[in-house]
């Protein structure tokens, strides 16, 4: 595979050079558009990948209750609401088969910093989002580790260079309350933005409460006409219950709010502190330098591991993640080409410890051990050092044809220390290269075609490698690997975009090949198997996703406009097998019959929770100069709840309704009704293929909330 990659890259560079030699006409000045620090250079005119951006006006119009409300308007995204405004994001089917605490293979970047996702879910301040950009397909060429499915880049609000303020208040179903105060102040040589917000909700599900408080601000000081310094500070305090799922289809009918069930992990208490300082200098009309230093701290506690037949948890978990980053970028434009060179240095530390929340016993038979409340059950520290160098080269080959090449090299070193068992300490390191090569052809002033090939990677986690060391010591004769290869994705896409007299459009076909998937032979969440090695981590096999994405957006200035996002996705396992339990263990002692297992080849099966068809359609109708009514249709086709494709779940179609009424230029009333027709459906369903599952009574099900109402006021002055 490395020879093929090298050949493709060499052919691309040789072709770009040859075509450029043939170009004899005078070409316009071009500029590099990609950046990992600031979005000031963003432009889709010569983009070679399928990139979608939602700006602050679009977000304000949607008036989101959670990030899913925004992201579902972008084709190719599966955003799963896991309780109020906590959301887990998947792109183009990557990692849809994982559903518990794993990262979803998407780099989530806030103001240039890839942030930790607690249990794979995003914690952020919805009211502080200025824009969301989504890069689909492997995006490690800009963002490094874990961008195997793409990246979600969130830019928070910043000073506007004018003095203005805003007050918002909102209330709705399930005890929802929101209050926001923000101000922008412009001075002679600086600008200031400050905002405070509160969100509270009891939630539809029994323990899905939310208590969110945030205060944030940015101060931008202009050193001279071409350079500035921006300092940002964000403090967020969140408490969430996260009790959203029920066990089995019968409980989904009898107890949809999960009042008598308990989540594996729940009752999160999170403090988020983010600070950064950015220096930007336009050295001349064709060059710029930016430097960003940041510190991000996420301290989260929660309860996990339910006690059997009880509504309590065994474990109290305490996790702290501190990220310190330094990024620098230099860009320069010439007549026919432009380049950007960057450096990314990170010093991250994650500490985890847990203790018994109640008295309980562990093990079976003679190996039963009593665990007293307060006993330390785990205690570890992970240091992660990253040094990365990346760059982008754009080349105007002809007046209509532009090439783009991105290259990034990551050197990642882990140091994992288990304070309870030093034999599990590991210090793996990885050197990984990522790249993107693409072409954009300008058909005319309004239309262009693009194609690209990009890669993404995910390194094995230190805990996976540490766990394997434990297995090697326990089962020295088993075939447990002491080292693991990085997962990689290879994304191919071809698209066309532009604008006509009626609408803007962006359409793309794509294929993602995922290699060296990391998993366990015993399946995602079951440790029992046929052989001793089945519960440990291997490079399991390959997964393929291919599909078509279409975005249509008409002119918002018209009395009648629309936004459409459609996705066709076919995501299948190519090389993948698990150990499936076919019968539970029976009896005790000498007469006990052990559980029965068989190896199942899943090649050709659909990846769970990937609908073939997904649609989001919004109409904006300006009934009067002051009143806008916006019906919305969200639909997805059926999908499988399990890797063996035994349990198929029906699709659904939802209708939502929003309205905005402007009393004046300053005062606006807004309202929305979610699930207008009060549709009863499952928002999420999972059945572990590796467990004994003859019926849907072993399923984890999240029953969607019924019809909900929200109203609010927005005053700008």
């Amino acid at each position: 595979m490395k020879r093929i990659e090298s050949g493709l890259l060499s052919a691309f560079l040789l072709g770009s050079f040859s075509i450029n030699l043939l170009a004899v006409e005078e070409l316009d000045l071009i500029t590099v558009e990609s950046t990992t620090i600031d979005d000031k250079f963003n432009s889709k005119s010569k983009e070679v990948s399928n990139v979608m951006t939602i700006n602050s006006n679009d977000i304000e119009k949607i008036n989101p209750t959670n990030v899913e409300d925004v992201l579902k308007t972008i084709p190719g995204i599966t955003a799963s609401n896991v309780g109020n405004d906590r959301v887990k994001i998947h792109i183009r089917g990557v990692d849809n088969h994982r559903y518990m605490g794993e990262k979803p293979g998407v780099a989530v970047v806030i103001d240039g910093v890839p942030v930790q996702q607690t249990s794979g879910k995003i914690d952020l301040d919805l009211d502080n989002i200025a824009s969301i950009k989504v890069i689909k397909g492997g995006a490690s060429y800009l963002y490094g580790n874990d961008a195997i499915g793409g990246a979600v880049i969130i830019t928070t609000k910043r000073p506007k260079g004018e003095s203005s303020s805003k007050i918002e208040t909102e209330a709705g179903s399930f005890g929802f309350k929101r209050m926001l105060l923000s101000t922008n102040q412009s001075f002679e040589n600086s600008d200031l933005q400050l905002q405070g917000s509160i969100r509270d909700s009891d939630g539809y599900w029994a323990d899905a409460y939310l208590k969110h408080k945030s205060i944030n601000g940015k101060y931008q000081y202009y050193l001279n006409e071409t350079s500035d310094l921006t300092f940002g500070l964000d403090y967020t305090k969140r408490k969430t219950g996260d009790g959203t799922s029920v066990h089995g289809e019968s409980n989904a009918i009898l107890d949809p709010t999960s009042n008598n069930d308990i989540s594996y992990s729940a009752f999160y208490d999170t403090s988020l502190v983010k600070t950064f300082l950015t220096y930007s200098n336009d050295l001349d009309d064709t060059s710029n330098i930016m430097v960003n230093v940041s510190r991000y701290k996420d301290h989260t506690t929660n309860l996990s591991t339910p006690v059997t037949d009880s509504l309590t948890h065994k474990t109290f978990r305490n996790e702290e993640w501190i990220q310190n980053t330094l990024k620098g970028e230099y860009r320069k434009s010439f007549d026919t080409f432009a380049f950007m060179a960057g450096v990314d240095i990170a010093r991250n530390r994650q500490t985890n410890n847990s203790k018994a929340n109640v008295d309980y016993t562990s093990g079976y038979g003679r190996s039963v051990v009593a665990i007293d409340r307060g006993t330390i059950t785990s205690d570890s520290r992970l240091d992660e050092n990253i040094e990365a160098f990346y760059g982008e080269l754009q080349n105007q080959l002809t007046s209509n044809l532009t090439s783009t090449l991105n290259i990034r090299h990551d050197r990642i070193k882990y140091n994992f220390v288990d304070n309870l068992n030093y034999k599990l300490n590991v210090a793996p390191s990885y050197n990984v290269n990522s790249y993107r090569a693409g072409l954009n052809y300008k058909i005319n002033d309004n239309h262009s075609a693009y194609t690209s090939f990009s890669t993404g990677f995910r390194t094995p986690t230190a805990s996976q490698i540490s766990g394997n060391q434990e297995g090697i010591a326990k089962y020295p004769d088993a075939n447990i690997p002491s080292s693991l290869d990085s997962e990689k994705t290879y994304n191919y896409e071809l698209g066309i975009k532009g604008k006509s007299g009626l609408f803007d459009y962006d359409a793309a076909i794509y294929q993602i090949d995922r290699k060296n998937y990391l998993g366990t032979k015993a399946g995602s969440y079951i440790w029992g198997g046929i052989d001793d090695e089945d519960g440990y981590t291997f490079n399991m096999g390959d997964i393929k996703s291919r599909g078509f994405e279409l975005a249509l957006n008409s002119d918002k200035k018209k009395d009648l406009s629309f936004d459409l996002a459609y996705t066709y996705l076919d995501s299948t396992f190519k090389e993948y097998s698990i150990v499936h339990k076919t019968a539970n263990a029976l009896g005790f002692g000498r007469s006990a019959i052990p559980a029965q297992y068989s190896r199942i080849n899943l090649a050709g099966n659909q990846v769970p929770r990937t609908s073939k068809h997904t649609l989001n359609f919004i109409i904006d109708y300006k009934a009067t100069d002051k009143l806008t009514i916006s019906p919305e249709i969200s639909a997805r086709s059926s999908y499988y709840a399990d890797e063996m494709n035994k349990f198929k779940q029906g699709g659904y179609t939802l209708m939502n309704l929003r309205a905005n009424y402007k009393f004046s230029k300053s005062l606006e009333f807004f309202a929305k009704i979610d699930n207008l027709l009060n549709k009863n459906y499952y928002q999420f369903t999972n059945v572990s293929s590796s467990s004994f599952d003859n019926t849907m009574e072993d399923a984890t099900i999240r029953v969607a909330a019924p019809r909900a109402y929200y109203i609010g006021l927005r005053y700008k002055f």
Side-chain angles (χ1 to χ4, degrees):
M1 179 54 104
K2 289 184 178 179
R3 291 183 179 179
I4 295 174
E5 294 175 27
S6 178
L8 285 171
L9 185 58
S10 299
F12 178 84
L13 292 172
L14 179 60
S16 297
F17 178 73
S18 300
I19 294 174
N20 198 43
L21 287 178
L22 296 174
V24 295
E25 52 206 302
E26 187 68 23
L27 303 176
D28 295 332
L29 182 74
I30 65 171
T31 59
V32 168
E33 295 159 355
S34 292
T35 176
T36 67
I37 295 178
D38 196 291
D39 66 357
K40 65 189 292 184
F41 299 99
N42 275 349
S43 169
K44 293 186 67 176
S45 61
K46 294 184 175 66
E47 180 59 66
V48 298
S49 300
N50 190 259
V51 177
M52 300 283 178
T53 301
I54 300 177
N55 60 37
S56 57
N57 291 332
D58 294 330
I59 295 172
E60 188 174 273
K61 184 189 73 172
I62 293 172
N63 185 35
T65 307
N66 56 66
V67 180
E68 182 186 17
D69 292 342
V70 179
L71 294 179
K72 67 184 178 182
T73 64
I74 298 178
I77 288 187
T78 306
S80 176
N81 178 7
V82 293
N84 290 307
D85 65 346
R86 303 188 76 212
V87 172
K88 196 166 187 176
I89 301 171
H90 300 285
I91 296 178
R92 291 181 171 175
V94 174
D95 262 9
N96 270 69
H97 59 302
R98 309 303 297 272
Y99 80 97
M100 286 183 66
E102 305 83 9
K103 291 185 178 182
V106 177
V108 177
V109 182
I110 302 178
D111 290 329
V113 182
V115 300
Q116 166 76 351
Q117 301 165 68
T118 304
S119 299
K121 305 158 190 173
I122 300 177
D123 283 323
L124 54 86
D125 181 8
L126 270 175
D127 293 311
N128 195 28
I129 298 175
S131 67
I132 299 177
K133 181 171 74 172
V134 177
I135 301 175
K136 291 174 279 185
S140 293
Y141 58 88
L142 282 178
Y143 298 104
N145 196 14
D146 207 44
I148 57 175
V152 175
I153 299 98
I154 297 170
T155 301
T156 59
K157 295 176 181 177
R158 62 188 62 195
K160 296 181 179 179
E162 62 181 32
S163 294
S164 62
S165 300
K166 179 171 68 172
I167 299 175
E168 289 187 23
T169 183
E170 184 180 5
S173 299
F174 317 123
F176 180 81
K177 298 183 291 293
R178 181 173 73 94
M179 174 68 74
L180 178 146
L181 300 171
S182 68
T183 184
N184 279 273
Q185 298 297 320
S186 182
F187 308 102
E188 183 177 356
N189 295 315
S190 61
D191 293 311
L192 175 68
Q193 177 262 334
L194 290 174
Q195 178 173 289
S197 63
I198 297 173
R199 281 177 180 253
D200 285 345
S201 175
D202 298 330
Y204 166 66
W205 303 283
D207 288 320
Y209 60 83
L210 167 69
K211 294 185 181 298
H212 173 109
K213 297 178 181 179
S214 180
I215 183 168
N216 52 75
K218 292 186 178 71
Y219 178 71
Q220 188 170 24
Y221 180 75
Y222 302 98
L223 301 172
N224 52 47
E225 292 183 355
T226 63
S227 63
D228 61 73
L229 282 171
T230 302
F231 173 74
L233 173 65
D234 188 332
Y235 174 77
T236 299
K237 181 70 175 177
R238 298 170 53 86
K239 291 187 177 182
T240 58
D242 204 30
T244 59
S245 301
V246 297
H247 188 79
E249 204 163 34
S250 296
N251 285 330
I253 298 172
L254 299 173
D255 184 26
T257 61
S258 188
N259 189 59
N260 297 311
D261 218 321
I262 185 168
S263 293
Y264 184 85
S265 295
F267 306 112
Y268 288 85
D269 189 341
T270 300
S271 295
L272 302 170
V273 182
K274 181 182 67 179
T275 57
F276 72 88
L277 180 67
T278 300
Y279 169 74
S280 179
N281 191 345
D282 294 330
L283 302 175
D284 54 44
D285 291 340
T286 63
S287 61
N288 169 273
I289 186 170
M290 284 193 291
V291 179
N292 175 276
V293 291
S294 64
R295 180 178 174 86
Y296 180 89
K297 179 180 178 181
D298 179 340
H299 182 207
T300 298
T301 62
N302 73 285
L303 298 179
S304 69
T305 319
V307 178
T308 304
D309 300 325
S310 174
L311 293 180
T312 59
H313 290 87
K314 292 181 181 179
T315 306
F316 174 86
R317 298 178 65 249
N318 182 49
E319 177 181 356
E320 184 176 80
W321 181 264
I322 297 176
Q323 297 175 241
N324 299 298
T325 61
L326 168 65
K327 290 189 177 186
E329 291 181 355
Y330 173 74
R331 66 194 66 239
K332 177 70 175 178
S333 299
F334 300 91
D335 287 340
T336 60
F337 71 94
F339 74 90
M340 178 266 288
V343 61
D344 186 352
I345 300 173
R347 296 292 182 264
N348 306 325
R349 171 167 290 188
Q350 182 179 12
T351 56
N352 285 280
N353 58 74
S354 59
K355 60 184 179 181
N357 187 52
V358 294
D359 297 336
Y360 67 93
T361 58
S362 177
Y364 299 93
R366 295 180 179 179
S367 61
V368 169
V369 177
I371 307 294
D372 297 329
R373 180 180 179 180
T375 301
I376 302 297
T377 55
S378 68
D379 187 6
S380 65
R381 186 191 78 236
L382 171 65
D383 290 311
E384 178 187 47
N385 294 338
I386 300 172
E387 290 98 25
F389 303 93
Y390 57 95
E392 177 171 312
L393 175 66
Q394 276 201 17
N395 199 351
Q396 189 85 42
L397 305 176
T398 72
S399 59
N400 293 331
L401 184 64
T402 305
S403 67
T404 299
L405 175 66
N406 293 83
I407 298 177
R408 176 172 168 131
H409 174 77
D410 279 88
R411 184 179 183 275
I412 302 173
K413 185 175 182 180
Y414 297 112
N415 184 28
F416 178 81
V417 176
D418 189 310
N419 293 316
L420 300 183
N421 185 355
Y422 72 92
K423 294 181 180 180
L424 301 184
N425 297 352
V426 294
S429 60
Y430 297 88
N431 287 278
V432 190
N433 296 316
S434 311
Y435 60 88
R436 175 183 67 164
L439 295 169
N440 182 292
Y441 181 75
K442 179 182 175 182
I443 300 172
N444 55 41
D445 289 342
N446 294 322
H447 307 277
S448 63
Y450 60 90
T451 184
S452 66
F453 171 74
S454 62
T455 66
F457 76 90
R458 171 192 282 164
T459 61
T461 66
S463 59
Q464 287 173 327
I465 297 173
S466 175
N468 277 13
Q469 308 313 309
E470 181 182 36
I472 292 170
K474 189 175 182 180
Y475 306 110
D477 296 328
N479 186 32
I480 302 172
S482 59
S483 62
L484 299 164
D485 294 329
S486 297
E487 293 186 47
K488 287 193 175 182
T489 54
Y490 303 90
N491 180 73
Y492 312 81
E493 65 185 25
L494 175 66
I496 186 170
K497 59 190 171 187
K499 58 180 64 178
S500 67
L502 298 176
F503 49 78
D504 297 347
Y505 67 92
D506 196 334
I509 56 174
Y510 67 87
Q511 178 172 307
I512 296 182
D513 293 327
R514 183 178 177 187
K515 306 293 185 181
N516 293 326
Y517 158 65
L518 290 162
T520 58
K521 295 180 180 179
S524 297
Y525 311 110
I526 306 297
W527 291 97
I530 298 172
D531 298 320
D532 293 333
E533 71 228 33
D534 288 340
Y536 297 91
T537 304
F538 288 77
N539 290 111
M540 294 284 292
D542 303 338
I543 301 173
K544 176 181 289 185
S545 295
R546 56 176 61 177
F548 168 72
E549 296 167 353
L550 173 65
L552 295 177
N553 311 100
S554 67
D555 188 354
K556 299 297 185 295
K557 296 179 182 178
K558 303 290 185 181
D559 288 342
L560 187 66
S561 62
F562 70 89
D563 296 287
L564 180 145
Y566 168 74
T567 303
Y568 170 78
L569 172 64
D570 181 25
S571 191
T572 58
F573 297 107
K574 301 304 293 180
E575 296 181 24
Y576 185 45
S577 61
I578 62 170
V579 175
H580 174 62
K581 183 191 289 186
T582 56
N584 286 322
L586 297 174
F588 299 93
R590 294 181 178 179
S591 61
I593 300 175
Q596 302 298 305
Y597 299 90
S598 66
R599 297 197 185 276
I600 305 294
N601 186 355
L602 300 180
N605 281 19
Q606 294 289 315
V607 172
R609 290 167 293 284
T610 56
S611 297
K612 292 273 189 174
H613 306 278
T614 307
L615 174 73
N616 185 262
F617 183 58
I618 302 173
I619 295 176
D620 291 327
Y621 172 58
K622 295 181 180 178
T624 69
D625 291 340
K626 296 183 177 182
L627 176 63
T628 301
I629 300 173
S630 304
E632 176 187 38
I633 295 175
S634 291
R636 65 179 298 186
S637 61
S638 60
Y639 61 92
Y640 287 102
D642 64 315
E643 295 165 310
M644 290 176 61
N645 292 181
K646 185 177 179 181
F647 300 102
K648 196 166 191 177
Q649 302 301 292
Y652 55 82
T653 300
L654 303 178
M655 179 172 285
N656 306 315
L657 183 65
R658 290 193 295 269
N660 291 71
Y661 186 86
K662 292 190 175 182
F663 294 97
S664 65
K665 186 177 180 180
S666 300
L667 183 61
E668 178 182 2
F669 167 84
F670 53 91
K672 68 175 181 177
I673 306 175
D674 287 341
N675 195 1
L676 179 67
L677 303 180
N678 207 26
K679 179 80 171 181
N680 182 23
Y681 67 100
Y682 295 163
Q683 192 178 67
F684 171 91
T685 312
N686 177 80
V687 180
S688 295
S689 292
S690 48
S691 63
F692 184 53
D693 46 13
N694 279 332
T695 70
M696 281 285 290
E697 292 308 308
D698 192 45
T700 298
I701 300 173
R702 185 181 307 122
V703 181
R707 185 188 298 121
Y709 304 86
Y710 303 90
I711 58 171
L713 284 173
R714 181 179 296 118
Y715 180 60
K716 299 178 181 180
F717 57 97

